[in-house]
Amino acid sequence: MNNLGEKARLHLAHADLTVRRHPKTFSAIVTAVLTLSGVTAFGVAPLSMVDSTPKNIQTVTESVSPEGLAAQAEALAEYEMLLHRSDLTRSTDTADTLLRRLGVADPEASSFLRKDPVARTILSGRPGKMLRAVTESSPGGGELQELVVRGPAAERTQLGSHFTRITVRRTEQGLTSVSEQVPMKIETRSGAATVRTTLFAATDEARMPDNITGQMADMFGNDVDFRRDIRPGDSFAVVYEALTADGEPVTWGGSAGRVLAGRFIHGKETYEAVWFQESGKKGEYYSLKGQGKQKAFMSSPLAFSRVTSGFAMRFHPILQTWRAHLGVDLGAPMGTPVHTVGNGVVNFAGVQNGYGNVVIIGHSGGRETVYAHLSRIDVNKGASVTQGSVIGAVGATGWATGPHLHFEFKVKGAQVDPTQVARASETSELSGITRARFESQSKQMHAQLMESIVRPVGKLARVE
């Protein structure tokens, strides 16, 4: 009896260890057994309902032990499970904290990330690189089997076309590393949302990259004042190009390409536009009727800035007198890029009295634009610039009490209201020879816009 008792205790200890190592597997097996028992009961119970006359019922109790349970649990114990975890690198990461966050408990891997020349680059540079770790299943973290890291291309010239893939893999000889430059792919994606608080909150809800939000504002900037007029209830939908690394949208700069089509509902007005490029000409956005959305002059040299002083009389903060303010002051953080509002030539780039660092650009028809109080100047006198080119950055030089951009628009030497000039400036129209191709493309893009509204976030087929 002692031998039998000792064997029983050993079997129970072995079963308890198996259950602790694989609780989910044991639960599944027990559930299956109970389910089979339930099916048997369901098959017998209806027969007793044929005759409702009370009968003598005898209860029989018998222990049932499913055959093969221990063998199955033992086989599962020998089965090696692998876990996959994904994350992004952070500026505060070390080799230990990064691996711990990925569920890796592996001193050898931690040492490898610190010492291997290729693996060390994982923690260098800007944060936001994409991580994917494969480990053995273990309650306290498993041994690293593979770590794949995707980040910006090594060469600046390839930042918009390639990405760096670093792979750390465990082999029979130990951990190895390899770095390679891989072409990114372009996928067409969509996003749609309704503004509840702010435009950026809505675009975050739609999981749209910030540069796509900026493009959407530029696309409809002559229809809607995105600095002051956006209100709850406005809605939008866009179809855009997304750059992907191994099928995943990249998380570093330049993660999205061009907006291909957009729809913005502002109050009772609906605006739509599609990107189209005529042969031999620069591409731009057009309404569905083929009229260019891009006017000769943009409404503002800054994206999402606030007007701190308009084109009117004001009390001068430095001179302490009431004077006509013959321009527009746009509040923005120091260093915000300043864009030229139209094509032209740089007439002046330097320092002028109260203007501080200033750039003056000459445009066709005797028109000039002035950009003052810059923290830096990025163009030289005589250079040709195109609409949207960065010519400097917001600053507080000259007679400025804080960071902002002073912007003026002159027609034949006289200052005029910049916002009125932009809205009244000319646009382009498609030539008749290309209109048929435009209409075909615009119909496809409009269909994708409507699909994105029904299915707000997702991947669409590429439209060529």
Side-chain angles (χ1 to χ4, degrees):
M1 291 293 292
N2 290 337
N3 289 337
L4 291 175
E6 183 63 27
K7 288 183 180 180
R9 282 194 296 273
L10 289 174
H11 281 300
L12 286 172
H14 180 70
D16 179 66
L17 177 61
T18 302
V19 170
R20 289 178 180 272
R21 294 177 62 183
H22 301 282
K24 293 184 178 180
T25 303
F26 181 76
S27 298
I29 293 173
V30 172
T31 301
V33 171
L34 293 177
T35 302
L36 290 173
S37 300
V39 170
T40 304
F42 181 80
V44 174
L47 297 177
S48 64
M49 297 177 65
V50 175
D51 185 358
S52 59
T53 304
K55 293 181 174 63
N56 294 329
I57 300 175
Q58 182 179 4
T59 303
V60 178
T61 304
E62 183 178 352
S63 299
V64 179
S65 299
E67 295 183 2
L69 178 60
Q72 294 180 48
E74 186 66 30
L76 286 171
E78 299 298 325
Y79 181 76
E80 182 179 349
M81 296 181 65
L82 297 178
L83 296 180
H84 300 250
R85 288 186 175 90
S86 298
D87 209 324
L88 300 176
T89 59
R90 303 173 185 175
S91 59
T92 57
D93 272 337
T94 64
D96 293 327
T97 60
L98 182 144
L99 292 178
R100 191 180 306 120
R101 198 166 69 251
L102 292 170
V104 179
D106 189 340
E108 181 187 358
S110 181
S111 176
F112 186 82
L113 293 188
R114 288 193 296 268
K115 298 178 180 179
D116 181 77
V118 173
R120 285 172 57 184
T121 62
I122 294 172
L123 295 174
S124 65
R126 293 185 177 183
K129 296 173 185 174
M130 302 156 62
L131 303 166
R132 182 175 180 274
V134 180
T135 64
E136 289 184 344
S137 174
S138 177
E143 184 180 69
L144 180 68
Q145 300 302 308
E146 183 180 74
L147 175 64
V148 180
V149 184
R150 303 174 183 87
E155 299 295 330
R156 181 177 294 273
T157 56
Q158 292 186 321
L159 288 177
S161 60
H162 289 68
F163 70 96
T164 299
R165 182 200 292 144
I166 297 176
T167 305
V168 176
R169 183 177 289 117
R170 185 174 296 280
T171 66
E172 294 181 356
Q173 291 74 36
L175 293 171
T176 63
S177 66
V178 61
S179 178
E180 50 192 334
Q181 301 300 303
V182 185
M184 288 190 285
K185 293 184 179 180
I186 299 178
E187 294 181 356
T188 303
R189 294 178 176 262
S190 65
T194 298
V195 177
R196 294 184 176 85
T197 54
T198 67
L199 178 64
F200 275 108
T203 56
D204 286 344
E205 177 187 337
R207 301 202 292 275
M208 286 166 46
D210 286 348
N211 64 332
I212 293 300
T213 306
Q215 289 185 51
M216 181 175 68
D218 290 340
M219 181 167 51
F220 296 115
N222 291 315
D223 301 313
V224 180
D225 189 336
F226 281 81
R227 300 189 306 273
R228 294 177 293 185
D229 292 347
I230 301 302
R231 53 180 178 263
D234 290 351
S235 61
F236 60 85
V238 292
V239 176
Y240 61 94
E241 294 176 333
L243 301 178
T244 62
D246 293 336
E248 294 294 328
V250 302
T251 54
W252 52 90
S255 62
R258 179 182 294 117
V259 172
L260 301 176
R263 186 173 194 254
F264 198 91
I265 300 177
H266 176 60
K268 296 181 179 180
E269 299 293 332
T270 299
Y271 306 99
E272 291 184 319
V274 296
W275 173 264
F276 184 76
Q277 184 172 8
E278 287 191 78
S279 179
K281 293 185 179 181
K282 182 181 177 181
E284 61 177 286
Y285 293 104
Y286 293 86
S287 69
L288 298 185
K289 296 181 179 180
Q291 296 174 334
K293 299 292 292 183
Q294 181 176 332
K295 293 182 179 290
F297 296 100
M298 298 191 305
S299 59
S300 173
L302 300 178
F304 301 110
S305 60
R306 67 186 190 282
V307 176
T308 57
S309 183
F311 190 83
M313 292 293 293
R314 69 159 184 177
F315 188 76
H316 198 283
I318 294 178
L319 299 178
Q320 296 293 299
T321 59
W322 284 93
R323 302 183 58 165
H325 189 234
L326 302 178
V328 174
D329 286 349
L330 302 169
M334 182 77 73
T336 301
V338 176
H339 305 266
T340 176
V341 297
N343 301 334
V345 176
V346 178
N347 290 342
F348 183 87
V351 180
Q352 277 190 5
N353 300 324
Y355 281 146
N357 293 331
V358 61
V359 172
I360 300 175
I361 296 177
H363 308 278
S364 62
R367 295 171 290 193
E368 273 190 338
T369 49
V370 180
Y371 312 79
H373 306 314
L374 303 173
S375 60
R376 71 168 194 270
I377 295 174
D378 295 339
V379 291
N380 298 316
K381 182 179 179 179
S384 296
V385 292
T386 57
Q387 187 180 81
S389 299
V390 176
I391 58 173
V394 169
T397 57
W399 295 352
T401 57
H404 73 281
L405 175 72
H406 175 76
F407 175 55
E408 294 181 11
F409 202 111
K410 297 181 179 180
V411 178
K412 296 181 180 179
Q415 285 100 338
V416 296
D417 188 343
T419 57
Q420 293 183 7
V421 172
R423 292 179 183 273
S425 61
E426 60 273 15
T427 60
S428 60
E429 285 201 27
L430 289 170
S431 60
I433 197 170
T434 59
R435 186 169 289 274
R437 186 165 66 90
F438 167 78
E439 290 179 353
S440 174
Q441 180 174 319
S442 65
K443 286 180 181 179
Q444 295 181 58
M445 298 311 301
H446 183 265
Q448 291 196 3
L449 278 175
M450 295 301 102
E451 182 182 349
S452 69
I453 294 172
V454 175
R455 182 174 52 83
V457 179
K459 189 186 301 184
L460 299 171
R462 179 66 189 268
V463 175
E464 299 293 348

